Amino acid sequence: MSDAGGFFKRVYVLVRRIPRGRVATYGQIARLAGAPGAARTVGWALHALPKRSGVPWHRVINARGGISTSCLTHPADEQKLLLIEEGIRVTKSGMVDLARYQWSK
DNA sequence: CGTATGACGAGCC
DNA sequence: AGGCTCGCCATAC
């Protein structure tokens, strides 16, 4: 399940472990997945991830605490709303205070 | 097996 | 804060 050529799966498992009201960066997930530097691959994993998969993809943001979504199927506006509904303060520009909300195992 | 891609990261302006 | 360039890494074709 969490192994066997499924780097993506490993990412999904880690994202699911992010507690509600907390966020993580792509680089952080990549590092926990055992591939520091593969932040881009993490983003791609979530990109291919359907919302109904149950993975809180909206809790994953970039190192600057911003929403980088350029994906039309996953609008940044929706991600922003989801984060706000979890109690996370997000600026109009979609910036999150990492120092306060970044997930720490 | 080589090239292209991508929801990134860090550095620089 | 926002934008551009280069570098890293795992898939897709």
Side-chain angles (χ1 to χ4, degrees), chain A residues 4-101:
Chain A
F7 178 80
F8 279 27
K9 261 193 167 178
R10 203 178 295 185
V11 172
Y12 301 150
V13 172
L14 286 167
V15 175
R16 269 192 211 119
R17 285 178 185 166
I18 302 176
R20 187 173 179 279
R22 204 56 68 158
V23 297
T25 64
Y26 297 97
Q28 186 178 355
I29 298 298
R31 199 151 112 89
L32 292 172
R40 306 196 66 181
T41 316
V42 173
W44 197 11
L46 298 179
H47 172 68
L49 180 69
K51 301 181 194 174
R52 59 189 173 193
S53 60
V55 179
W57 56 271
H58 55 267
R59 291 180 190 151
V60 186
I61 55 183
N62 62 35
R64 292 182 183 174
I67 300 173
S68 319
T69 35
S70 56
C71 203
L72 299 176
T73 47
H74 300 141
D77 182 61
E78 182 170 321
Q79 181 170 7
K80 182 169 66 176
L81 289 176
L82 286 168
L83 291 172
I84 293 173
E85 286 183 62
E86 294 196 352
I88 298 174
R89 178 152 34 173
V90 185
T91 67
K92 293 190 206 171
S93 308
M95 301 299 296
V96 179
D97 185 355
L98 275 179
R100 177 178 174 176
Y101 298 109

